[in-house]
Each structure stands twice: as structure tokens, then as C-alpha cells.
Amino acid sequence: MAKRTIVSLPGDGIGRVVLEETLRILEAAGFEADYIEGDIGWEFWTKQGNPLPQRTLDLIAEHKIALFGAITSKPKEAAFNELAPELRTKGLVYSSPIVGLRQHFGLDICIRPTKSYLGNPLNFVRRGANDQIEEPLVDAVIFRQNTEGLYGGVEWTNPPQLVYDGMMTHPKFVQNFGNTPKEEISISTRIFTKKATERILRAAFEHAKKYKYPSVTLCEKPNVIRETSGMMYKMAQEIQKADYPTIELWNTNIDAQMMWLTKNPENYGVIVAGNMFGDIVSDGFAGLIGGLGFAASAQMNPDSGIGVFEPTHGSAPKYAEYDVSIVNPIAMIESACMMLDFIGEASIAKKIRAAVAEVITEGKVKTYDMLKMVGRPNVIEKGAASTQQMTDAIIEKLN
Ligand code: NAI
Ligand code: MG
């Protein structure tokens, strides 16, 4: 098979560290690829005024597959103040390059698997009926619509007159907000389209079918948010009935789901939700399997075959300055495994996951988060493995 070209997007802070370590793992596992580094992140904002340069978009469009570390984002004013002086008069406004990537390439399918590793000291435990401690194994995969809904960016403070007048045609707006001056109103919209909703629902059902999950849980709030959540639920019912009759469709409300996931997380398999609720429920499940050091994600557009694979954690800037890196590389490594699955290299992904599982179950090498330490440089003296040591331990199991 021809050697692949992968775009590597290290970004900022610990993104650079965990991506470098992950490339070592991929090589040790026998995955042959050339890597081209793409520019993204804070440095390109401050020095060039664009955290996501066109040349990076071109690279991704050409090679289709990217591994992304993490970027640093800052609020509007702070972002402006760090711009190079000569760029300050250009009317530049910072916006997150990762959200930009999603929208530019229509990466509307986001997958966030949360599966516990046997022996991970961070696994969720509970007290059972006979007072014994139970450790239910979690294996939930969250399908999050990644481009619309509350993250669609259609929002205003003191909305334009035309928008306000349009709103005033809705009886509920008149009733609840009609007496509030326009200047005192902020509006963030939650727009769902049928096309994108159908795509995420079908992706979830397909996954359930392929990996033999008995159910798909739609996690929204259709009884209250009747139009968007309501449409999604109705479409889920139709799709299930027509094409996936052997897979059960469950319907939970996001609020109740956040309670149930710490009572009986083992009952859930594939979960599908809109953008905001998908973000919330996936973080909730990630907490049950070890948190940010373990939370991987894939974002893809199956039509174009473009996929960007990244840990859900950010750039944790203060940790990036330590002489010896202490962060857990597993979330990034898991994200690379999702990339391998996507490009038809599932057997290499399987090998890597088995090596990670072996290191965790053996329990000899643990990063600071797995030891429940506070992240400081001295965690290494106290027995925590460095990022590199964790990588080395996984590579040893691969060999
Ligand atoms: P963060 O995820 O960078 O870090 C939060 C805390 O989680 C860290 O202080 C650390 O205690 C822990 N942590 C994160 N990754 C870890 C790992 N691999 N191993 C062990 N512990 C880990 O989130 P924070 O501090 O809210 O944001 C820092 C910067 O990252 C901000 O500029 C933010 O905008 C950006 N960010 C970027 C994301 C992305 O690139 N997709 C996502 C989230 C935040
Ligand atoms: Mg999040």
C-alpha cells in the first residue's frame, strides 16, 4: 500500500508534546506515513493575524487526514492585546481555529468514545446493594453534531431591528420578552437542519450496527425544546423504524442523562445528540473513564473523507513550560487510533489499544493524573511517569 501523508497540527502548549509522542507510537506500531506539519494556533494569530492560515487549509484539503494536538484560545480583548503592533489597526478579530476547521470542511460528525480500561485507578466506582464497591465498565460512544445548534454562531446582543421585528411575530417572544428594551436582549440561536440531523443520526445507528450495540440513545430535550430536539427525535424514530429495526431507540433528556450516567453508566452504548448537549454528555462520560487524559475524539466529513483527530483536552499552557512533561499522552494516542480506524488501518489501532490497555492494567507506569496528584513539576519525584515514560512503556508492549 502507498505510504500515507498525514497533516500534523501540533498547535500550542501540551498539544505539541502529546502529538510528538503519538507519532513515536504510530511508528513503533508499524504505521508508515509521511507527516507534513501545518501551522495553527496562537503564534500564528499573534505574529500573522490568523490562527488558521489558508496554507493549512490547503494542506488538509490535499491530504485529507490530520492529527491535531490542541490550541490556546483567549477572550476577544486579550487576543487583541497580544497581536503584533503592526496588525492592530487591521480590524482583525480572533476566532477559534478548531471551530473554524469544523465549519470550513463541514466536519459535522464528531465521535467521542468513552471506554474504561481495566485497572485504571480513575475508573468510576459506586457502592452496591451489599455495600461492596462496584466498578461498572463503561463503553459509551457519543455522536455529537459538530457544526450547528448553539455553536452555529448566529447570535446577537441588541439584535438588528429586522431580527427583532421578526422575533416580535412570535407570540412567546411578545409574551416573555416584549416589554424588554431591545438593547437589553441577547439572542443565541439553536438551528438544526434536517440534512445534518439525519447525517449524525445515521452515523450513530451505523456505528451501533457495525459494533453490535443493542441500542442508540437520543439525548436531547424534545418535551421542552420542541422544534429542534423534537425534530431530531422524530427523525430518529423514522430512521430506526425504516432501517435499523433490530436496534432499540432510547430517548433521554440531557439533564436526566447527566444524573443517570453516574448511577448506571454501563447501560448506555451509542449516544447521539446535538452540538451543545453532545459536548456536555461526552464530558460527563469522559469523567467516568479518567477524564481529560483519556478523552479522544474524531471529527469527520464522510463525504469528502476529511477527518481531524484530536484529544478533547486543551493546551494546558502552564504544563507546557515544565522541563519534563507530565501530561498523559493517552487521549492523543487514542485519537490517533480513531484515525487509523477511519483510514482502514484498524489492525494497527487494535495493536496500539492493546498495548495501552496492558500498561494500564499492569499499573506500574502512571502519569500524575492517574495517581490523583496535583499537576506540578515535582510529581515526577513523587513517582509519576513523565509523558515520555508513559509513551516508552506503551512502545515496549508493542515490541
Ligand atoms: P485544558 O484541557 O488545557 O486543561 C485543563 C486541565 O486539565 C489542566 O490544567 C490539567 O490539569 C488537565 N489536563 C489537560 N490535559 C491533560 C492531559 N493530557 N493529561 C493530564 N491532565 C490534563 O483546558 P483549559 O485549561 O481550560 O484551557 C487551556 C487552553 O486550551 C485555553 O486557551 C483553551 O481555550 C484551550 N482549549 C483548547 C482546546 C482544543 O484545542 N480543542 C479544547 C479546550 C481548551
Ligand atoms: Mg468540551
Side-chain angles (χ1 to χ4, degrees):
M1 208 179 141
K3 217 173 176 190
R4 284 238 167 218
T5 301
I6 308 285
V7 180
S8 81
L9 305 169
D12 302 308
I14 65 163
R16 308 195 71 83
V17 182
V18 293
L19 183 47
E20 191 180 324
E21 294 305 298
T22 298
L23 299 192
R24 286 212 288 136
I25 298 269
L26 287 170
E27 192 186 349
F31 177 61
E32 293 194 358
D34 292 319
Y35 298 94
I36 305 188
E37 187 166 325
D39 298 335
I40 191 168
W42 199 245
E43 185 190 335
F44 302 96
W45 162 252
T46 58
K47 293 190 183 145
Q48 300 172 11
N50 186 357
L52 179 59
Q54 184 61 43
R55 57 186 182 276
T56 302
L57 295 173
D58 294 343
L59 265 185
I60 298 170
E62 183 182 347
H63 301 293
K64 294 193 186 306
I65 303 296
L67 278 174
F68 174 54
I71 46 96
T72 296
S73 277
K74 296 187 186 177
K76 213 164 149 182
E77 224 165 89
F80 181 81
N81 290 336
E82 288 190 34
L83 262 184
E86 69 275 12
L87 294 171
R88 292 199 191 155
T89 52
K90 305 212 169 195
L92 300 168
V93 181
Y94 179 82
S95 67
S96 158
I98 184 65
V99 176
L101 263 186
R102 286 173 194 158
Q103 265 144 19
H104 182 85
F105 291 113
L107 305 174
D108 64 332
I109 311 289
C110 173
I111 310 178
R112 294 183 169 181
T114 50
K115 187 169 179 177
S116 23
Y117 280 109
L118 220 57
N120 185 349
L122 298 175
N123 282 347
F124 169 73
V125 292
R126 71 183 167 216
R127 196 177 294 280
N130 303 318
D131 244 18
Q132 82 286 21
I133 297 297
E134 297 174 345
E135 189 175 320
L137 288 184
V138 177
D139 179 10
V141 191
I142 292 85
F143 280 72
R144 167 192 180 193
Q145 205 297 324
N146 212 30
T147 46
E148 305 192 333
L150 268 174
Y151 293 25
V154 183
E155 45 185 8
W156 306 268
T157 290
N158 186 12
Q161 193 64 43
L162 209 59
V163 172
Y164 182 80
D165 291 345
M167 287 287 177
M168 285 296 273
T169 64
H170 197 296
K172 282 269 162 57
F173 189 87
V174 176
Q175 180 192 316
N176 296 325
F177 310 104
N179 293 327
T180 307
K182 188 166 85 63
E183 309 74 58
E184 289 178 26
I185 292 177
S186 290
I187 300 173
S188 298
T189 62
R190 187 178 200 262
I191 301 172
F192 282 30
T193 65
K194 278 199 164 166
K195 186 174 165 202
T197 304
E198 176 162 356
R199 280 166 62 93
I200 194 70
L201 287 168
R202 286 197 181 275
F205 275 107
E206 274 304 306
H207 190 88
K209 187 173 154 185
K210 184 168 173 194
Y211 296 100
K212 302 198 167 31
Y213 286 91
S215 66
V216 168
T217 302
L218 175 73
C219 179
E220 278 282 322
K221 186 100 185 176
N223 53 335
V224 178
I225 313 175
R226 293 170 184 278
E227 301 306 327
T228 45
S229 293
M231 177 180 86
M232 194 166 189
Y233 183 39
K234 190 156 166 265
M235 290 178 72
Q237 288 173 303
E238 287 164 4
I239 290 169
Q240 186 268 346
K241 199 166 159 220
D243 297 326
Y244 305 92
T246 58
I247 299 171
E248 281 184 43
L249 172 65
W250 297 353
N251 172 32
T252 62
N253 289 330
I254 176 68
D255 47 350
Q257 181 70 69
M258 294 312 287
M259 179 262 295
W260 281 323
L261 69 78
T262 55
K263 293 193 80 174
N264 51 347
E266 69 272 40
N267 290 7
Y268 298 95
V270 174
I271 294 181
V272 60
N275 208 337
M276 175 89 255
F277 295 164
D279 201 10
I280 293 173
V281 75
S282 61
D283 274 14
F285 271 97
L288 308 178
I289 59 133
L292 289 172
F294 293 87
S297 85
Q299 326 185 59
M300 52 186 73
N301 180 339
D303 291 348
S304 63
I306 292 179
V308 178
F309 302 83
E310 57 153 333
T312 59
H313 65 72
S315 62
K318 65 172 192 253
Y319 296 172
E321 280 154 29
Y322 294 1
D323 292 334
V324 178
S325 173
I326 65 165
V327 296
N328 190 341
I330 291 175
M332 180 81 238
I333 294 167
E334 280 284 337
S335 305
C337 289
M338 298 184 79
M339 172 194 80
L340 293 170
D341 286 341
F342 186 64
I343 62 177
E345 298 281 6
S347 61
I348 302 180
K350 200 170 158 194
K351 223 161 70 177
I352 296 173
R353 288 189 179 111
V356 172
E358 220 181 306
V359 170
I360 294 174
T361 308
E362 206 173 76
K364 285 195 215 145
V365 180
K366 300 189 189 101
T367 43
Y368 83 94
D369 53 326
M370 297 170 73
L371 291 163
K372 300 176 189 165
M373 291 176 178
V374 179
R376 297 269 153 72
N378 69 359
V379 297
I380 304 288
E381 293 149 39
K382 295 202 289 192
S386 69
T387 311
Q388 283 78 6
Q389 284 168 333
M390 175 55 94
T391 312
D392 289 341
I394 296 166
I395 289 175
E396 210 178 298
K397 299 294 179 197
L398 279 169
N399 294 332

